[in-house]
Amino acid sequence: MDLQLKEKVVFVTGGGKGIGSGITLALAREGAIPIVLSRSAILPEFKEKLEALTKDYEFIQIDLNETDKIQPIVDDMAKRRGSIYGIVNNAGANDNKDLETTSWRDFEKSLHENLTHYYALVHAAVPYLKDSRGSILNISSKTALTGQGKTSAYAAAKGAILALTREWAAALAKDHVRSNAIVVSECWTPLYANWIKTFDDPEARKKVIADKIPFEHRFTSIEEIADMAVFLLSPLSSHTTAQWVFVDGGYVHLDRALS
Ligand code: NAP
């Protein structure tokens, strides 16, 4: 299936690791031009995989928390590349800022780190997205809907991201720009694998988590998120907007007591 993404310029925040890296590679496979915005330098292993698919990409090192740096990067890209088709807002981290011990200042700082750059990047790109009749994809988390019990700020940011997905779909429908979100529950990434290793019995811990995922009692793979991401970005989903798509093995909607 040709997703009609060839030569389309798509920003991917946090696109050099984890879920973002999978989306970058899937875009490259479709002939799109990924523009990765990443805090850390490009990992050699990822670079090798990406360059086996395309030489036409850009990797820009930026801490998105330095939010004023976003607009000039977007304007420069539009000038050099001629158009911007897509935004994948993906960078973020569950920082476990809980209700009882987190001050409002730390709460607000965490919101800045997980939410503000999602807004700033789309705000900066709006004129170009209108010109290209482009597509926005926000990566959110199950915590927005299920809570987690120890992460007020992250849950609030991810909830706001779902609200913004609908707000932007409403604001930009007249301009033929679509806005969708993917809700992730438990996706197996290198970072997740490292975290599991901190437990006394990592395999047992992994099984406890996987057992709560109704469909096949396993983690979602990076590729399963990436495949949905490129479809939602692509013109093949041309009448899909304002959607929260749950790529989560039924975690949010199915009764987790199912066996
Ligand atoms: P990951 O492996 O840590 O990758 C995230 C990438 O984003 C990293 O490259 C990270 O850079 C980058 N990043 C984070 N903050 C940044 C900033 N301020 N500026 C620039 N880059 C920044 O995480 P992941 O698991 O793939 O998560 C991707 C998204 O999925 C996040 O929004 C997360 O909340 C969401 N999600 C994931 C899961 C899951 O099970 N994995 C579940 C629910 C939701 P550094 O390497 O420099 O930190």
Side-chain angles (χ1 to χ4, degrees):
M1 191 189 294
D2 175 7
L3 292 182
Q4 299 170 21
L5 283 167
K6 282 189 186 59
E7 293 182 10
K8 293 197 187 304
V9 173
V10 181
F11 278 94
V12 187
T13 68
K17 281 186 192 168
I19 292 169
S21 72
I23 296 173
T24 302
L25 294 174
L27 283 166
R29 215 167 279 124
E30 290 299 322
I33 303 168
I35 312 295
V36 175
L37 300 183
S38 168
R39 183 165 47 198
S40 39
I42 193 162
L43 296 172
E45 198 181 306
F46 169 70
K47 187 169 188 230
E48 198 178 309
K49 280 189 196 163
L50 183 55
E51 294 193 352
L53 295 164
T54 184
K55 296 282 186 288
D56 199 3
Y57 73 92
E58 298 198 31
F59 193 97
I60 299 169
Q61 240 183 302
I62 171 185
D63 183 342
L64 294 158
N65 299 332
E66 296 174 33
T67 312
D68 287 335
K69 290 185 175 168
I70 293 174
Q71 180 85 53
I73 289 173
V74 171
D75 289 338
D76 174 63
M77 197 58 61
K79 201 166 160 193
R80 287 193 293 109
R81 293 283 184 173
S83 74
I84 294 170
Y85 172 79
I87 302 290
V88 181
N89 271 320
N90 161 78
N94 189 343
D95 51 8
N96 296 314
K97 301 291 179 196
D98 77 331
L99 175 62
E100 294 189 48
T101 66
T102 305
S103 69
W104 70 261
R105 282 189 178 79
D106 284 346
F107 175 81
E108 203 170 78
K109 180 170 176 287
S110 173
L111 284 186
H112 178 76
E113 290 168 5
N114 272 312
L115 177 61
T116 308
H117 55 82
Y118 273 54
Y119 177 82
L121 182 55
V122 171
H123 172 74
V126 157
Y128 311 116
L129 294 173
K130 285 182 177 180
D131 281 351
S132 64
R133 298 189 167 199
S135 188
I136 299 161
L137 178 67
N138 293 322
I139 303 298
S140 184
S141 158
K142 71 172 193 312
T143 56
L145 297 141
T146 62
Q148 200 172 50
K150 57 177 173 57
T151 193
S152 284
Y154 177 75
K158 291 302 190 186
I161 286 161
L162 294 182
L164 288 175
T165 301
R166 293 247 157 101
E167 169 62 16
W168 296 339
L172 298 172
K174 63 182 185 321
D175 302 301
H176 311 273
V177 175
R178 298 178 299 110
S179 169
N180 293 292
I182 291 180
V183 182
V184 183
S185 290
E186 304 287 1
C187 178
W188 191 250
T189 63
L191 194 81
Y192 211 130
N194 283 339
W195 177 74
I196 285 278
K197 281 184 206 149
T198 64
F199 289 86
D200 286 343
D201 187 346
E203 278 311 310
R205 182 69 196 168
K206 189 178 172 187
K207 189 173 177 321
V208 166
I209 297 167
D211 278 348
K212 291 187 185 137
I213 301 163
F215 190 74
E216 297 179 349
H217 301 287
R218 64 171 177 85
F219 284 70
T220 307
S221 71
I222 288 174
E223 290 72 24
E224 285 168 325
I225 306 281
D227 286 345
M228 181 60 77
V230 285
F231 176 71
L232 288 173
L233 283 166
S234 81
L236 263 71
S237 63
S238 50
H239 214 213
T240 302
T241 192
Q243 298 304 305
W244 305 341
V245 179
F246 295 76
V247 184
D248 70 346
Y251 185 102
V252 173
H253 289 94
L254 290 178
D255 182 347
R256 274 170 267 152
L258 289 171
S259 56

